[in-house]
Amino acid sequence: MNAALIENIRRAHERRFGRPPAVTAYAPGRVEILGNHTDYNEGFVLSAAIDLGLGLALSPAPDEQCRAQALDMAQEICFDLPVTAPVKEPLWSNYLRGVVNKLSAFGRIKPGFQATLAGDLPSGAGLASSAALEIAAVLALSRLYRISVTPLEMAKLCQSAEHDFAGAQCGLLDQISCLYGQEHALVFSDFRTLAVANVPLPADICFLLADTRVKHSLAGADGVASAYNERRAQCEVAADFFAKVLPHPVKALRDVSLDEWKTFAPRLDPVTARRAAHVIEENTRVLQARELLRAGNVRAFGELMFQSHHSSRTNFENSCRELDFIVAQARQMPAVLGARLSGGGFGGSAVLLLHPRATAPVGQALAAAFTREFGQNCDLRPVRPSAGARLL
Ligand code: GLA
């Protein structure tokens, strides 16, 4: 966490609202390491909270109004309680409104509040900046109004805020990773049982993020389902099909094995079959990867990341030219152990697994190759698996 960022938020809050904040919360972004689009299929994911995030300072308002200033965007919004629906713009404000709406089912939010927020987490880079905003908000608001909510309830209410106020039918991965991150460890999540455990990383590996700057949006625009929502619907169609043809219960793609897929996939339309293959194989890869990590076999672990990207590119079709280019370049660099797209896809960031000493030369080579290919820069930055969201 960036201490200067928090100091800046607190000072700006006092300047604007005339008194220091009563509560300050910090929430990190996340990187998805393996397990792509498995969360809403009740599957498995390995992810990490990262050392980039967002801070939010809060104090009670003298009246019923809620005001929030977003320092990075130099914007201030104002709304009255109760919050009942999303607004057209600014879009970021819907994450805050959504959390206020959902949290009020757990306790009374009254009077209004004054908020100041800022972060060092780029938005639209596939690093879950919206979940960071939701989680920072729910932590700070629940403390300010003395509303008792468990971390899992927080994750779920933030997810539901995102569904109803931002139109993205996301799973729980972003919120869980943001809450349960730990220094130099991955977060292993089982999205059926919602059991979460940390898996320590070997000392001599780190991650490099390559942000393509291709903007992706998970939310539907003008009522047209986004590609993300469409993938989710295709997975549900596949799960319904397997529930009909298999002799055992199938609630989600999590319940389908690769052998079952091989037997019955020819009866599915080819696109739906490939979507299902991606999810089923990703689940297997996450479980394998967890064992490989425990055994310290980072090279084989990295190989699974390359396989995951290949499957995103060919089966799930949620990659893009820029991400494919980065992963293909990384594949040719002996110092890179693994690389893949991270998160929803269709743009955003790729994540590379490598030894710390390789970060600078790999970053420079990738940046130069990307600029030669596309005539514009990508952003490369090392990230550290870090502690989860907290009140400060
Ligand atoms: C986005 C969603 C998550 C998850 C990933 C893909 O980050 O918010 O719920 O589905 O995409 O794994």
Side-chain angles (χ1 to χ4, degrees), residues 30 32 35-40 45 126 128 162 169-175 218 228 343-345:
R30 66 98 190 88
E32 177 196 283
N36 187 244
H37 286 253
T38 49
D39 61 347
Y40 57 79
V45 186
E162 194 144 340
Q169 298 303 309
C170 61
L172 268 173
L173 166 68
D174 301 350
Q175 293 79 6
L218 299 189
Y228 180 93

Side-chain angles (χ1 to χ4, degrees), residues 141 163 289:
L141 288 165
H163 286 190

Side-chain angles (χ1 to χ4, degrees), residues 91-104:
L91 287 177
W92 66 265
S93 76
N94 284 329
Y95 299 107
L96 182 59
R97 287 171 205 266
V99 169
V100 171
N101 172 277
K102 301 293 171 182
L103 184 61
S104 55

